[in-house]
Amino acid sequence: MNSARRLRLRIFRITVFLVMGAFFLVPIGAMFEFSTRGNSLTAPRTLDTWTAIIKVPDLVQAISVSLQLAVITSVAMLALLLPTMVWVRLRLPALRRIIEFICLLPLTVPAIALVVGMVPLYRWIKINVSESILMLAFAYLVLVLPYSYRTLDAGLASIDLKTLTEAARSLGAGWGTVMLRVVVPNMSTAILNACLLSVALVLGEFTFANLLLYENLQVAILYQSFVSAGTSIAVAVAALMFAFVLLLILSFVGRPRERVARAEEAA
Amino acid sequence: MVSSSSGASSRPSARAGVEVRLEDLKRRYAGVTALDGLSLTLAPGELVALLGPSGCGKTTALRLVAGLEETDGGRVVFGGEDVTNVPANKREIGMVFQAYSLFPHMTAMQNVAFGMQLHRVGVAERRKRASDMLELVGLSPHAHKYAHQLSGGQQQRVALARALAIKPKVLLLDEPLSALDAKVRARLRDEIRRVQLEVGTTTLFVTHDQEEALAIADRVGVMQSGRLEQLGPPMTVYSRPATPFVASFVGLTNRLNGVVRDGAVEVRGTRLPLVQTDATNGPAVALVRPEAVTLAGEGDSTPGPLNGTVIATAFLGATSRVTVDLGDVTVLAQLATSDAAAHPAGTRVRLALRPDPVLIERDEAAPDHG
Ligand SMILES: Nc1ncnc2c1ncn2[C@@H]1O[C@H](COP(=O)(O)OP(=O)(O)OP(=O)(O)O)[C@@H](O)[C@H]1O
Ligand SMILES: [Mg+2]
């Protein structure tokens, strides 16, 4: 009976895996297939559209800008959230609910409403601060807040923050040292997760950039599709694969400490 | 070097420790007074145990000394220097916490070296002192293990080594043994004492386990509701409790009605000398230790006020605690197990009270001593 149950579970698991796999991979496969078609149905397979990516300056520019935005957003997110969350947990526990509410708020507001609210702000920024697309990082910070908050909060909950920080302080560590040498290393997985989620979100973002009149990767893909559908699809697949690989890394980055320990035990 | 093996009352004098003074410390949390004017001076190199029931403010006192919590009044002085407003990381304290507190991403060795690194101790010196410290707590073979590969007792020993490695002015221990089982606890507490004597650091040790406090400390401070009830050597606190609270908290106590007359209290026909020599005549409750009660078979003796029936025996190892019903009151007697075996439950026995000085308590809240 037990083995029958296990078999059924196994079959169920494989089925789910296959269905979900197909759900994700078929569209990507189809896109890839489309992007490698030649000019006619009978033409041989070609990677022309892929090599064309680097020949379109607008696309290259957009890719670079989106990557920069992803990095800036992640760093800003960490710099803003991590110390705040640690401080609130240690010193102002009463504020925790409020902070959580604020951080999760963007999730409940439709992107379009958010953008419309930001339009006047960005008009002002463009005139008074800078026209650089990197200013989008502010908007993206709001966008990634809920996901990063959740991830970091789970990471903080998994360590005995109070005791560890107090132990470090009793040993002579100032707050900076406490953050960098005690808190960060002990929640590296959560921090990495938060960063990867932010990167994936920023790389896939279209609405904000488009409505605020910036040309990021997704907007550039759209413009490119008017010129050459093949190339735009190739870029889209590349971006998707990039995000996919990032998320894959995320699920494989276990707790490094445990792996080290296991390796030591084996030796 | 001063030898320190001559018992708990000897003070390692010519050692590295500094004098630590807590002056009238106060701390209030929303509505709760956790510390209500605690004053305590630790001699250099002395180990003082703070003992008291849960919630009496022991941890709060320790955290104020550590600087992890701000005071609402009073001062903390290390070796003549007022550190009340110095932040925790500048106070040069070593602390071992009740919860396991090793940094999970570092090995035992790295944990011990961490504080020295922050104190800018050179690499070679750091490595040497870290292995010395691990050696001191008997963990050299485990130097390269991570916290989750160590047992609870081993983790607390590493934490002790880590706290001592920075050569702190003051060592603060907050129930470091409470998460461990009884056997490990007894062994580790002796080890803490040995290490503390060897290093000579002034130490404040918090516990709610009276046996632990009495076994390890030069002096024991008994606390209640944020105040110090009594401070003295373990022997004194146990055998000469200053207040009824101390008497009932440290060790078990029988409360027997009696009458004070001419400087002694008469309990059920036995005259017992008093601790409070200035007590006025009149009815009072005498606090009698179980080990001051002895049993004899009733035999053919005439009925008396100290004759009763054994109703239960609790086996504690070498000794046993026997509960005797005297009709109007039950009395605990602590005897050698072999003696207790002669009086199984249900047998009639005759009690005797050893004439040790006892404390009395008065029912009517009249002030019975100045
Ligand atoms: N952060 C806090 N906020 C509010 N009240 C607190 C806080 N810390 C301690 N208290 C209160 O202060 C009093 C003393 O607490 P403390 O932790 O010092 O007790 P303790 O003697 O260490 O007890 P235990 O033996 O249970 O550890 C308690 O009544 C407790 O409820
Ligand atoms: Mg406590």
Side-chain angles (χ1 to χ4, degrees):
Chain A
M1 182 225 140
N2 211 343
S3 68
R5 200 170 146 223
R6 213 174 297 152
L7 185 69
R8 245 184 297 138
L9 253 178
R10 169 94 71 39
I11 292 172
F12 176 72
R13 241 184 257 148
I14 291 175
T15 314
V16 168
F17 183 76
L18 287 180
V19 170
M20 295 309 281
F23 185 76
F24 286 117
L25 288 180
V26 167
I28 296 182
M31 286 165 82
F32 185 75
E33 193 275 336
F34 178 79
S35 71
T36 58
R37 271 185 209 169
N39 283 330
S40 68
L41 279 178
T42 52
R45 296 261 152 218
T46 162
L47 283 176
D48 282 354
T49 54
W50 286 75
T51 49
I53 295 175
I54 53 167
K55 291 182 194 132
V56 183
D58 277 1
L59 268 183
V60 174
Q61 170 71 17
I63 290 172
S64 140
V65 152
S66 270
L67 286 174
Q68 287 176 51
L69 273 173
V71 171
I72 294 172
T73 308
S74 302
V75 171
M77 174 273 295
L78 280 183
L80 180 73
L81 270 188
L82 205 50
T84 313
M85 290 173 71
V86 167
W87 195 250
V88 165
R89 255 177 191 265
L90 290 178
R91 289 298 170 91
L92 306 163
L95 279 186
R96 214 169 122 206
R97 290 276 155 248
I98 297 172
I99 298 281
E100 180 170 19
F101 177 74
I102 293 174
C103 286
L104 296 187
L105 206 55
L107 212 52
T108 63
V109 181
I112 197 77
L114 265 180
V115 182
V116 170
M118 283 183 185
V119 165
L121 182 67
Y122 267 86
R123 192 179 305 134
W124 183 87
I125 285 181
K126 278 185 182 173
I127 294 169
N128 293 301
V129 185
S130 160
E131 291 201 11
S132 164
I133 184 175
L134 297 182
M135 289 294 130
L136 255 186
F138 288 112
Y140 286 173
L141 198 52
V142 175
L143 187 73
V144 302
L145 215 50
Y147 308 95
S148 317
Y149 177 85
R150 274 268 173 247
T151 317
L152 293 179
D153 196 50
L156 279 176
S158 71
I159 60 178
D160 185 352
L161 186 67
K162 186 162 183 272
T163 309
L164 290 184
T165 52
E166 285 180 354
R169 283 182 60 68
S170 77
L171 290 168
W175 282 110
T177 313
V178 169
M179 286 302 296
L180 291 178
R181 302 209 33 205
V182 175
V183 177
V184 169
N186 281 304
M187 47 184 296
S188 51
T189 312
I191 290 175
L192 201 67
N193 284 0
C195 285
L196 292 183
L197 279 175
S198 304
V199 170
L201 273 172
V202 171
L203 290 186
E205 210 290 320
F206 173 78
T207 320
F208 279 41
N210 193 38
L211 293 182
L212 296 174
L213 305 176
Y214 291 108
E215 189 172 335
N216 74 350
L217 177 59
Q218 298 299 331
V219 175
I221 288 175
L222 178 70
Y223 291 165
Q224 185 60 33
S225 72
F226 302 146
V227 182
S228 154
T231 308
S232 86
I233 295 292
V235 182
V237 173
L240 271 176
M241 293 310 289
F242 185 68
F244 186 68
V245 169
L246 280 185
L247 294 177
L248 212 63
I249 292 174
L250 184 154
S251 56
F252 278 104
V253 178
R255 282 143 231 95
R257 217 182 319 125
E258 266 169 31
R259 234 179 298 135
V260 171
R262 244 180 280 135
E264 265 177 21
E265 270 157 28
Chain B
M1 280 254 141
V2 180
S3 161
S4 44
S5 55
S6 54
S9 56
S10 79
R11 298 236 182 95
S13 44
R15 296 303 179 103
V18 302
E19 184 195 75
V20 174
R21 234 171 32 236
L22 287 63
E23 292 178 359
D24 198 29
L25 284 182
K26 293 199 172 78
R27 173 73 194 177
R28 230 178 323 279
Y29 296 108
V32 188
T33 303
L35 274 190
D36 187 17
L38 176 73
S39 296
L40 172 64
T41 302
L42 291 85
E46 188 183 27
L47 192 160
V48 169
L50 280 183
L51 179 63
S54 190
C56 71
K58 308 179 296 288
T59 297
T60 306
L62 209 65
R63 293 172 60 82
L64 289 185
V65 176
L68 294 170
E69 203 100 37
E70 275 131 44
T71 60
D72 288 333
R75 300 199 310 158
V76 178
V77 182
F78 290 174
E81 185 197 346
D82 186 344
V83 296
T84 316
N85 295 315
V86 177
N89 57 330
K90 300 266 161 59
R91 279 203 191 181
E92 297 179 61
I93 48 148
M95 187 151 179
V96 178
F97 296 80
Q98 177 169 0
Y100 296 135
S101 64
L102 292 191
F103 305 123
H105 63 298
M106 299 182 190
T107 62
M109 182 72 115
Q110 288 166 338
N111 263 285
V112 178
F114 181 76
M116 289 188 273
Q117 214 175 337
L118 298 179
H119 285 79
R120 311 208 179 287
V121 177
V123 182
E125 164 74 5
R126 206 193 304 159
R127 207 165 289 156
K128 181 181 171 305
R129 221 197 288 168
S131 24
D132 286 354
M133 279 301 153
L134 284 173
E135 171 116 43
L136 189 68
V137 296
L139 283 180
S140 301
H142 304 284
H144 298 291
K145 286 191 177 170
Y146 289 87
H148 70 103
Q149 296 168 305
L150 296 168
S151 73
Q154 289 169 338
Q155 287 188 47
Q156 290 304 62
R157 274 144 77 191
V158 175
L160 179 66
R162 179 177 72 177
L164 288 169
I166 56 173
K167 301 197 172 152
K169 285 181 177 166
V170 187
L171 182 61
L172 303 170
L173 309 169
D174 188 3
E175 307 199 26
L177 309 176
S178 64
L180 308 172
D181 68 68
K183 210 163 174 184
V184 179
R185 198 155 70 207
R187 214 183 52 223
L188 204 47
R189 108 188 152 206
D190 294 342
E191 199 164 308
I192 287 179
R193 178 56 164 166
R194 171 182 67 77
V195 169
Q196 189 265 341
L197 285 172
E198 200 165 321
V199 183
T201 310
T202 312
T203 303
L204 193 55
F205 183 102
V206 159
T207 177
H208 63 253
D209 180 341
Q210 44 151 319
E211 193 189 325
E212 204 165 280
L214 297 177
I216 199 176
D218 291 310
R219 283 188 301 162
V220 175
V222 183
M223 285 181 71
Q224 188 198 11
S225 327
R227 300 176 144 277
L228 208 52
E229 288 269 318
Q230 183 177 11
L231 178 67
M235 280 283 274
T236 312
V237 170
Y238 186 80
S239 56
R240 293 286 168 87
T243 66
F245 171 79
V246 176
S248 51
F249 187 75
V250 182
L252 287 166
T253 291
N254 292 301
R255 306 166 69 84
L256 301 174
N257 290 321
V259 180
V260 175
R261 197 175 300 136
D262 308 330
V265 58
E266 198 170 309
V267 177
R268 295 178 164 269
T270 308
R271 272 178 76 81
L272 301 173
L274 285 175
V275 174
Q276 300 120 304
T277 47
D278 55 351
T280 53
N281 290 353
V285 175
L287 307 174
V288 180
R289 293 276 187 214
E291 55 270 30
V293 180
T294 53
L295 297 189
E298 197 178 18
D300 51 4
S301 65
T302 48
L306 283 171
N307 289 14
T309 311
V310 174
I311 53 176
T313 303
F315 174 60
L316 304 175
T319 63
S320 289
R321 195 175 298 138
V322 180
T323 313
V324 179
D325 184 4
L326 293 183
D328 55 339
V329 65
T330 59
V331 175
L332 291 175
Q334 189 150 341
L335 318 168
T337 294
S338 51
D339 295 342
H343 311 288
T347 49
R348 298 283 298 169
V349 290
R350 181 193 184 85
L351 301 186
L353 306 179
R354 207 167 53 216
D356 292 339
V358 296
L359 268 180
I360 55 160
E361 206 177 62
R362 291 233 136 107
D363 281 343
E364 69 282 347
D368 53 359
H369 46 81

